[in-house]
Amino acid sequence: PAECGLVDGSYRLTERQAQAILDLRLHKLTGLEQDKIISEYREILEKIEDFLDILNRDERLKQEIHRELEEIKQEFSDPRRTEILIDHSDLTVEDLISEEDVVVTISHLGYAKAQPLESYSAQRRGGRGKAATKVKDEDFVEQMFAASTHDTLLCFSTRGKVYWQKVYQLPIGSRTARGRPMINLLPLEENERITAILPVREYPEDQFIFFATASGKVKRTSLASFSRPRANGIIALDLRDEDSLIGVALTDGGADLLLFTSAGKGIRIAEKDVRAMGRTAAGVRGIKIKKTDEVISLIATSDDEGQILFATENGYGKRTQLEDFSVQGRGGQGVISIKTSSRNGAVIGAIKTKGDEEIMLISNGGTLVRTPAEDISILGRNTQGVTLIRLGGDEQLVQIEPVAASVEDVVEAEGEAGPEAEA
């Protein structure tokens, strides 16, 4: 028929021709493809022979690798889209730690822990709050502050050394957990203890750490000098003879520093009067004291608000307005801060207070008394003070410490200032 046969470049079968093809036996169809199959087989044998030649001759193998790489280069060659860094040594464990806000608590006996800020819901002032930590009867929370897990704690010891402790390395505990002793977290030597802990995030040149020793020496060093942590700590202050570090403060270069002695003397000096020095410097004289006297407290302030609370070894004390201490030149003998009569005994502590805190009084007999600071009378400098604690027998007051702010205050402060606020 006209519609069959070679039409428009293709061949169309008739119904009879199609049926004849369908009636062919399988071996006849295979025979039609025999030449094609034999041809493919020969090609495969040639490829196998060629591949074996490549594998058996190194020179041929290298030529093939070179040829294939050139083909890949021609096909996929384009400008590099990613940057290849040869040195990855700046990658630290901290980079793998997620950043979050935590509440850090340090107890009087040196137990430390961190807990997520979300563990506490913000409450109105006057609420009952939640327990921050479970401590022994003779222990109490001495420091509590909000910090980021990427912040660093600068821990200064009595031997003038500084140790670095990352907040994320602190044990994470529940609200009632005691935490872990700092002596197990830091490589402290025998009879070495931590004097002060400063939380920092960066190390700017225009911020300083101010040091004071028991012999009356002071030193100011740029915070940037402590930006390179070492596992075993470094010397922060060169201590001579039997001297020891009694306090440190983080300053901005324009603060006033108050030094108080066990003999009841005190001096207020301007920070600018103490030039910045290197880490290993011994410092300069801050207050002139007798050989039998020692400095027992360092306080930094930028205003005259609040009072200084003094306590003596016989259980007496007072509050004196901060404005009663005027700025003097460095190295003087200072002025009377509290009378050290036979009734009072030596001064064992001086802390700054605004009157709304609580303080802890500790005796050498193991007695702890917690009292509101506002219950202690405000008196002038040249006075003896009032009774803080009644001691029996040969018992003496040995320490006075502020009790840390409540967790509600930390949470509220964090909510008001935001997570970027400095601890």
Side-chain angles (χ1 to χ4, degrees), residues 107-129:
S107 77
H108 176 68
L109 295 182
Y111 286 86
K113 72 170 182 176
Q115 45 200 135
L117 196 63
E118 292 76 13
S119 299
Y120 305 96
S121 56
Q123 303 181 14
R124 295 180 179 274
R125 292 190 182 276
R128 296 182 61 183

Side-chain angles (χ1 to χ4, degrees), residues 104-114 133-136 138-143 153 155-156 165 169-171 177-186 188 192-197 362 368 399 401:
V104 178
T105 59
I106 310 292
S107 77
H108 176 68
L109 295 182
Y111 286 86
K113 72 170 182 176
T133 186
K134 184 177 182 180
V135 295
K136 295 181 179 180
E138 66 273 17
D139 200 6
F140 59 94
V141 176
E142 196 171 281
Q143 291 190 60
L153 302 181
C155 306
F156 296 89
Q165 178 68 46
Q169 293 175 329
L170 295 176
R178 288 174 54 193
R180 189 177 177 187
M182 291 294 290
I183 194 173
N184 292 341
L185 299 173
L186 302 173
L188 299 178
E192 183 181 16
R193 62 182 180 84
I194 298 300
T195 301
I197 296 177
I362 308 166
L368 276 77
Q399 200 168 3
E401 295 289 349

Side-chain angles (χ1 to χ4, degrees), residues 360-382:
M360 189 72 75
L361 304 169
I362 308 166
S363 76
N364 57 2
T367 303
L368 276 77
V369 174
R370 183 169 177 167
T371 183
E374 62 184 1
D375 291 350
I376 301 173
S377 302
I378 298 179
L379 303 172
R381 287 190 300 100
N382 196 14

Side-chain angles (χ1 to χ4, degrees), residues 263-264 312 318 336-341 344-345 381-384:
T312 65
K318 64 173 180 177
I336 296 176
S337 58
I338 183 173
K339 284 188 175 180
T340 53
S341 60
N344 279 1
R381 287 190 300 100
N382 196 14
T383 55
Q384 294 193 92

Side-chain angles (χ1 to χ4, degrees), residues 233-293:
I234 60 174
I235 297 297
L237 175 69
D238 182 19
L239 296 176
R240 308 286 174 84
D241 301 328
E242 298 298 321
D243 203 2
S244 63
L245 181 66
I246 60 97
V248 299
L250 189 63
T251 64
D252 59 3
D256 289 343
L257 288 307
L258 293 97
L259 300 171
F260 296 102
T261 73
S262 58
K265 291 292 189 72
I267 191 172
R268 181 173 181 173
I269 62 176
E271 181 182 356
K272 62 183 180 181
D273 289 345
V274 181
R275 63 180 178 84
M277 308 175 194
R279 281 194 305 103
T280 56
V284 295
R285 178 182 291 176
I287 183 172
K288 186 177 181 180
I289 60 175
K290 297 179 180 178
K291 291 184 178 181
T292 56
D293 193 8

Side-chain angles (χ1 to χ4, degrees), residues 272-340:
K272 62 183 180 181
D273 289 345
V274 181
R275 63 180 178 84
M277 308 175 194
R279 281 194 305 103
T280 56
V284 295
R285 178 182 291 176
I287 183 172
K288 186 177 181 180
I289 60 175
K290 297 179 180 178
K291 291 184 178 181
T292 56
D293 193 8
E294 65 177 358
V295 177
I296 49 93
S297 179
L298 166 70
I299 297 174
T301 183
S302 57
D303 52 46
D304 285 334
E305 296 183 3
Q307 307 91 37
I308 304 297
L309 194 158
F310 299 94
T312 65
E313 61 184 1
N314 291 339
Y316 294 92
K318 64 173 180 177
R319 285 188 294 158
T320 299
Q321 295 291 357
L322 189 58
E323 61 187 16
D324 289 353
F325 297 92
S326 56
V327 177
Q328 297 179 253
R330 176 184 62 80
Q333 295 185 8
V335 296
I336 296 176
S337 58
I338 183 173
K339 284 188 175 180
T340 53

Side-chain angles (χ1 to χ4, degrees), residues 40-322:
E40 290 180 354
Y41 177 65
R42 287 175 178 170
E43 290 178 2
I44 292 175
L45 290 178
E46 290 176 358
K47 288 183 178 179
I48 291 174
E49 184 179 359
D50 189 49
F51 292 153
L52 289 174
D53 182 61
I54 293 173
L55 293 174
N56 292 328
R57 292 199 302 157
D58 290 343
E59 183 180 354
R60 178 78 191 282
L61 179 62
K62 293 178 180 178
Q63 290 176 353
E64 286 299 316
I65 293 175
H66 184 272
R67 180 185 61 79
E68 292 180 3
L69 290 176
E70 286 292 339
E71 291 178 356
I72 293 173
K73 178 181 178 181
Q74 293 297 326
E75 184 177 358
F76 300 104
S77 177
D78 63 355
R80 181 172 294 282
R81 300 178 185 179
T82 58
E83 180 183 1
I84 297 178
L85 299 177
I86 298 176
D87 185 8
H88 297 279
S89 59
D90 57 343
L91 184 65
T92 63
V93 175
E94 182 176 342
D95 297 324
L96 307 177
I97 302 295
S98 61
E99 185 171 3
E100 61 176 327
D101 295 317
V102 295
V103 174
V104 178
T105 59
I106 310 292
S107 77
H108 176 68
L109 295 182
Y111 286 86
K113 72 170 182 176
Q115 45 200 135
L117 196 63
E118 292 76 13
S119 299
Y120 305 96
S121 56
Q123 303 181 14
R124 295 180 179 274
R125 292 190 182 276
R128 296 182 61 183
K130 296 181 179 179
T133 186
K134 184 177 182 180
V135 295
K136 295 181 179 180
D137 292 339
E138 66 273 17
D139 200 6
F140 59 94
V141 176
E142 196 171 281
Q143 291 190 60
M144 179 183 295
F145 49 84
S148 166
T149 49
H150 285 197
D151 288 349
T152 301
L153 302 181
L154 295 182
C155 306
F156 296 89
S157 76
T158 51
R159 297 193 175 181
K161 295 185 69 175
V162 58
Y163 300 90
W164 288 263
Q165 178 68 46
K166 283 291 186 179
V167 172
Y168 68 78
Q169 293 175 329
L170 295 176
I172 300 295
S174 63
R175 288 187 294 103
T176 56
R178 288 174 54 193
R180 189 177 177 187
M182 291 294 290
I183 194 173
N184 292 341
L185 299 173
L186 302 173
L188 299 178
E189 300 176 7
E190 186 177 358
N191 297 326
E192 183 181 16
R193 62 182 180 84
I194 298 300
T195 301
I197 296 177
L198 300 177
V200 298
R201 182 61 178 271
E202 298 177 341
Y203 301 86
E205 291 279 355
D206 58 351
Q207 285 197 343
F208 303 89
I209 295 181
F210 199 94
F211 302 85
T213 72
S215 66
K217 287 190 175 182
V218 295
K219 189 181 82 163
R220 182 166 65 113
T221 302
S222 173
L223 185 57
S225 300
F226 302 93
S227 60
R228 296 183 178 180
R230 293 184 186 175
N232 294 324
I234 60 174
I235 297 297
L237 175 69
D238 182 19
L239 296 176
R240 308 286 174 84
D241 301 328
E242 298 298 321
D243 203 2
S244 63
L245 181 66
I246 60 97
V248 299
L250 189 63
T251 64
D252 59 3
D256 289 343
L257 288 307
L258 293 97
L259 300 171
F260 296 102
T261 73
S262 58
K265 291 292 189 72
I267 191 172
R268 181 173 181 173
I269 62 176
E271 181 182 356
K272 62 183 180 181
D273 289 345
V274 181
R275 63 180 178 84
M277 308 175 194
R279 281 194 305 103
T280 56
V284 295
R285 178 182 291 176
I287 183 172
K288 186 177 181 180
I289 60 175
K290 297 179 180 178
K291 291 184 178 181
T292 56
D293 193 8
E294 65 177 358
V295 177
I296 49 93
S297 179
L298 166 70
I299 297 174
T301 183
S302 57
D303 52 46
D304 285 334
E305 296 183 3
Q307 307 91 37
I308 304 297
L309 194 158
F310 299 94
T312 65
E313 61 184 1
N314 291 339
Y316 294 92
K318 64 173 180 177
R319 285 188 294 158
T320 299
Q321 295 291 357
L322 189 58

